[in-house]
Amino acid sequence: DLCYKTINALEVDKLASIINNDGKILDIASKTGEFAFALYYLLKDKVDIKKLKKSIYSIPTSTITYEFTRKIYEVLGLDTGCISNMTSFDLLEYKVKKKINVEKFIKEKFLTGGETNMKFSVVIGNPPYQATVREATTGNNKNTIDIYQDFQDIALKLSDATCLIYPAKEYQRGTLNTKDENLISLRIYNGRNREGEKHIPGESSVFGDAVRRIPGDVGLVYFNKDKTKHNKKILYQDTLIERS
């Protein structure tokens, strides 16, 4: 459901236009090809199907999720060459520790049959939120660091338009504001059933009891650096409001 909401935030008809004009859409953190499936389901009747099958790219989060993603691609008839042979964590490793050119790394690591232009029209996905620095010696209190913001940074290097799902705590706490006119919309959802920092009464949670904790509730964050998109207002919680 959240995949569909992500695609609808970007507007299905605009994504269809991107596909028909040979654009590329990247899921930066695929687990079971969930975004690829959602894109296929919502766009299959609106685009040239041959173009659609070659326009959905995925970076799996692990070698195991690569296999899950590959299965979904095969079932849908998508081009499995559009699945990266590296993982999301490989991408993060190179971005954070090795300080190399992320765009060049993407070009080299994608299985694209000689493709040279890897500028993506849109980057979407639900990237990993945290990484473990040190395992707990007892109990379940691991030392972790936030990494979702690094994926947002990478996504904005790979495309002018990104719509990602990750903790919204920096907005909830006021650390980040909405004055950046590249930030087109922000929709915050309850991350889990237990109350988060600003629990929304009467609204179901994204992950329910499936996770122990969410570092802040979950935000659907849409950036677009297209100058024609700039607006003095932002779509926040489904309402157009003044930036603050």
Side-chain angles (χ1 to χ4, degrees):
D1 183 55
L2 204 56
C3 292
Y4 293 146
K5 287 177 179 176
T6 302
I7 295 166
N8 285 323
L10 290 161
E11 298 181 41
V12 174
D13 287 342
K14 290 184 179 178
L15 290 176
S17 178
I18 286 171
I19 299 300
N20 283 327
N21 286 287
D22 300 314
K24 301 177 178 67
I25 301 174
L26 172 68
D27 175 2
I28 201 168
S30 176
K31 288 85 175 174
T32 57
E34 61 281 356
F35 279 99
F37 176 85
L39 284 165
Y40 182 88
Y41 182 82
L42 292 177
L43 294 171
K44 60 183 174 62
D45 296 325
K46 296 178 176 288
V47 300
D48 181 329
I49 199 69
K50 291 182 179 178
K51 290 186 176 182
L52 179 63
K53 291 181 177 182
K54 293 182 178 294
S55 64
I56 302 175
Y57 288 72
S58 295
I59 302 177
T61 55
S62 70
T63 54
I64 295 173
T65 61
Y66 171 88
E67 294 301 330
F68 291 145
T69 300
R70 180 177 62 81
K71 291 283 189 184
I72 294 298
Y73 268 61
E74 289 176 350
V75 168
L76 297 177
L78 303 180
D79 184 353
T80 57
C82 293
I83 308 172
S84 172
N85 64 342
M86 67 174 176
T87 71
S88 304
F89 285 96
D90 291 334
L91 184 61
L92 192 68
E93 179 88 2
Y94 274 77
K95 187 266 180 184
V96 174
K97 295 186 178 180
K98 299 189 179 181
K99 304 294 184 183
I100 71 159
N101 185 297
V102 174
E103 296 93 324
K104 181 179 178 182
F105 184 61
I106 286 280
K107 289 178 185 178
E108 293 173 350
K109 292 295 182 179
F110 261 100
L111 306 176
T112 59
E115 177 67 67
T116 56
N117 180 14
M118 290 307 297
K119 181 72 174 180
F120 293 97
S121 304
V122 179
V123 176
I124 59 178
N126 179 24
Y129 300 163
Q130 295 179 320
T132 299
V133 177
R134 182 170 61 85
E135 293 287 348
T137 52
T138 59
N140 195 31
N141 294 317
K142 301 177 180 179
N143 285 358
T144 60
I145 58 171
D146 289 338
I147 58 175
Y148 61 87
Q149 69 280 357
D150 292 314
F151 284 105
Q152 176 68 88
D153 182 50
I154 291 170
L156 286 170
K157 284 182 168 62
L158 296 175
S159 176
D160 289 340
T162 72
C163 196
L164 303 181
I165 302 160
Y166 51 78
K169 63 180 180 179
E170 305 301 341
Y171 291 101
Q172 290 174 313
R173 293 172 182 173
T175 308
L176 294 176
N177 60 50
T178 63
K179 289 186 176 180
D180 182 352
E181 290 188 3
N182 292 318
L183 180 60
I184 303 300
S185 67
L186 172 65
R187 178 64 162 90
I188 299 175
Y189 299 91
N190 295 327
R192 57 177 182 158
N193 286 334
R194 290 182 60 188
E195 290 191 6
E197 296 187 30
K198 290 189 176 180
H199 195 76
I200 304 168
E203 189 164 284
S204 60
S205 62
V206 173
F207 297 113
D209 294 320
V211 293
R212 186 173 65 89
R213 67 180 287 266
I214 290 288
D217 290 318
V218 180
L220 182 60
V221 189
Y222 174 25
F223 280 93
N224 195 322
K225 293 185 282 186
D226 181 353
K227 298 299 182 184
T228 64
K229 281 283 186 182
H230 286 196
N231 197 303
K232 298 303 179 185
K233 295 186 177 183
I234 181 174
L235 190 65
Y236 176 73
Q237 299 304 84
D238 306 322
T239 302
L240 202 61
I241 64 169
E242 298 293 333
R243 295 180 182 275
S244 63

